[in-house]
Amino acid sequence: MPVKSIGTYDFPSRSRQELYGDDQLVHVWFQGNPWFCAAACYRAPKAMRWGDFWSQLVVPWAEEDPDFDPGARYAWSLHGQPLSPGDDETLEALGVVHKDVIGMRVEAG
Amino acid sequence: MTIANKASRAPKKLSMKQRYQVLTRDLDWEPTYVDPKDVFPHTEFEGITIHDWSKWEDPFRLTVDAYCKYQAEKDKRLYAVLDGFAQSQGHLTLTDASYLNAMKLFLQGVTPLEYQAHRNFAYLARHLNGPGPRFASLCQSIDELRHTQTEIHTLSNDNKYYSGFHNFQQMHDRVWYLSVPKSFFGDALASGPFEFLIAIGFSFEYLLTNLLFVPFMSGASFNGDLPTMTFGFSAQSDESRHMTLGLEAIKFLLEQDEANVPTVQAWIDKWFWRGYRVTALIAQMLDYMLPRKVMSWKEAFELYFEEQMLKGLFADLAFYGITPPRHVEDAIAEKEILSHQVYWTLYQFSHAAAFTTSVPTAEHEKWLAETYPETFDKLYKELWDKERENIAGGGRHFVRGLPQLCQVCQIPMLFTEPGDPTTICQRESEFKGEKFQTCSNGCQWIFEREPEKYVQAWLPVHQIYQGSCGGPTVPDVLAWYGVQEGDSGEHRGSLDDRRWQEWHADSVKEGN
């Protein structure tokens, strides 16, 4: 249902991708870990390699949890599907688009 | 020439009712050389049909002189209390300096909304076609301005001694958690006049007022804050008038034309959920910020919302074909978990706030466990136990990063799936090829109803990343917020806490 308005009502998104240049916003949702009240939001270059994304953005955030183990095995997901990122793959190559939510969960066993 | 009888020349004294009639109806006229649509251009585009504006009943029938007389008397009483409290160093008799976190939240989050309400009711006082609702809106507009002023004046005494009160207006415009109430009201201000009446006059002032405004005043009375309590009393008679206006507005719209019913129902659905999400801040205030508890959020929700509104008000509105708000079941299901989830969030982000937080004491935890027997020990106690260990090891849980925010309510995406308090609720919608996340079924429904509106949301996290908030680091952003040393972070050992201990140690020494 469109907004009922006295005049033309057409405004751009205030968080559209072009406002971030070559970067995009990416969310990381640490599932099954209530220490973090919400998923994290990062600004990351589309061309950032997964290994750098992990070590420069995710680890410094997650290690604030005293139980966080960067060496643990993690199950990743994107768009409701499992994701198997390689360290050298870029976010773009992995199919991560602006404002996507990447799921992260410690694998059992 | 005849000399008129002196008695017959004396002006006839009109009754209050007559004076109201003269003021509202006799000062109104039908335009003859201008099309009424040009005089009142904002009351048709929302699709609401009004057949007869004279059917608006204003049960209070106030006149300007009566209004001014009542308000002046109330102000006199309030200012006498403020003077007495200031002169006797009354702030030292509060339960604890940490109580003032509730008042910081009130001054930063609620007082600026009073001013916004003043502005929009002034707009309604010009733009509604009927003289009755125009005058009622004028009175409410003046009330809201008076509330803004008296709240600022009342809390200015705290600003002399405590942190977090010094820059509330700038903070309201800029700080992340204050974008929640600000964007809520901005949404209403950007609506047409009738939607505003339902959003603020009905949902905010009637449906949710006992969960939004009253808890602060009750919290004040339980924690020794006489000035705020007196302000609350001073506002109470205005608030009952505002509630009546809200109720009159909805009944008027429903009675004027049956075709208005679905539109009004959709506004109730939207504004219930918008308002309810703002109450998340109140829920944690009641259960965590008040040293001396008034009632739990769960009790307040059951009494003021489930009993009084769902069983009372909505039973009456069923006559018009109005049903309880959409998503109300999700709100009811959250009453046992809401405050815990929200305080845990504010706790871990309070390094970037203008209030302080602490781990609950043993006594406080006992109260939480007794009050929330189904949830506290099972879901939240272990988090606080882990945090105590973290603190013992030299840590303090402050998140190193920024959270994902809901596109509609702007609260960090902390809420959980209905029926599953351990899984965060993530909803995603797409509009013009862009993804937008929301925290709940309610916020997603609101987004998808008017996506063009919510894509414009000024989300604090996104704005920080766009470079609009002073710089990329936490100190840069805090400086831009106007936050100073002592305003934020851990309460124990904070500037306010240290001063409080010092002042009370002095009184012990002096034998007071």
Side-chain angles (χ1 to χ4, degrees), chain B residues 299-497:
Chain B
E299 290 163 332
F301 188 85
E302 285 172 348
L303 174 64
Y304 296 128
F305 189 73
E306 291 183 79
E307 278 296 317
Q308 293 181 358
M309 294 301 150
L310 287 182
K311 289 190 188 155
L313 172 71
F314 279 95
D316 292 346
L317 291 176
F319 170 77
Y320 299 99
I322 291 292
T323 55
R326 199 183 281 250
H327 304 115
V328 72
E329 292 304 324
D330 289 349
I332 293 170
E334 279 183 354
K335 68 185 175 189
E336 301 254 1
I337 56 176
L338 183 69
S339 63
H340 314 297
Q341 295 178 334
V342 176
Y343 187 71
W344 179 243
T345 303
L346 296 186
Y347 177 84
Q348 58 194 271
F349 281 102
S350 60
H351 57 303
F355 54 76
T356 56
T357 54
S358 263
V359 177
T361 61
E363 190 192 351
H364 186 178
E365 274 204 347
K366 191 167 163 271
W367 179 85
L368 289 165
E370 284 167 4
T371 313
Y372 292 95
E374 303 299 318
T375 52
F376 184 75
D377 279 350
K378 203 161 83 182
L379 295 164
Y380 308 107
K381 188 175 186 314
E382 64 186 49
L383 290 170
W384 294 113
D385 288 344
K386 180 170 163 177
E387 173 60 353
R388 275 191 206 92
E389 273 179 45
N390 184 36
I391 292 170
R396 203 308 188 169
H397 186 15
F398 290 132
V399 177
R400 299 172 198 161
L402 303 177
Q404 179 188 23
L405 300 181
C406 172
Q407 188 74 28
V408 172
C409 69
Q410 309 203 4
I411 298 174
M413 298 259 294
L414 64 100
F415 302 103
T416 47
E417 286 287 350
D420 177 6
T422 59
T423 302
I424 284 177
C425 183
Q426 287 266 353
R427 295 287 178 272
E428 190 166 277
S429 307
E430 215 168 292
F431 182 68
K432 293 188 177 171
E434 187 175 339
K435 295 183 179 193
F436 296 90
Q437 286 96 15
T438 39
C439 70
S440 52
N441 295 327
C443 282
Q444 184 177 38
W445 179 80
I446 291 168
F447 178 84
E448 293 187 344
R449 197 174 155 265
E450 294 176 311
E452 308 92 331
K453 190 165 200 182
Y454 298 98
V455 298
Q456 303 168 68
W458 193 94
L459 292 183
V461 167
H462 298 186
Q463 292 303 316
I464 289 171
Y465 281 135
Q466 284 175 32
S468 318
C469 305
T473 68
V474 174
D476 290 339
V477 174
L478 291 183
W480 185 78
Y481 282 174
V483 168
Q484 296 174 356
E485 194 203 341
D487 288 345
S488 47
E490 168 58 44
H491 182 73
R492 293 191 183 105
S494 67
L495 206 56
D496 282 2
D497 186 39

Side-chain angles (χ1 to χ4, degrees), chain B residues 6-23:
Chain B
K6 214 175 176 183
S8 71
R9 275 195 313 183
K12 194 180 154 205
K13 193 163 165 64
L14 300 176
S15 71
M16 186 85 143
K17 192 177 168 191
Q18 287 169 318
R19 277 190 290 151
Y20 173 78
Q21 187 70 19
V22 168
L23 175 72

Side-chain angles (χ1 to χ4, degrees), chain B residues 20 24-25 53 56-58 129-137 245:
Chain B
Y20 173 78
T24 55
R25 305 307 199 262
W53 280 94
W56 179 286
E57 290 298 332
D58 181 359
N129 304 50
R134 279 205 304 272
F135 188 68
S137 298
L245 176 65

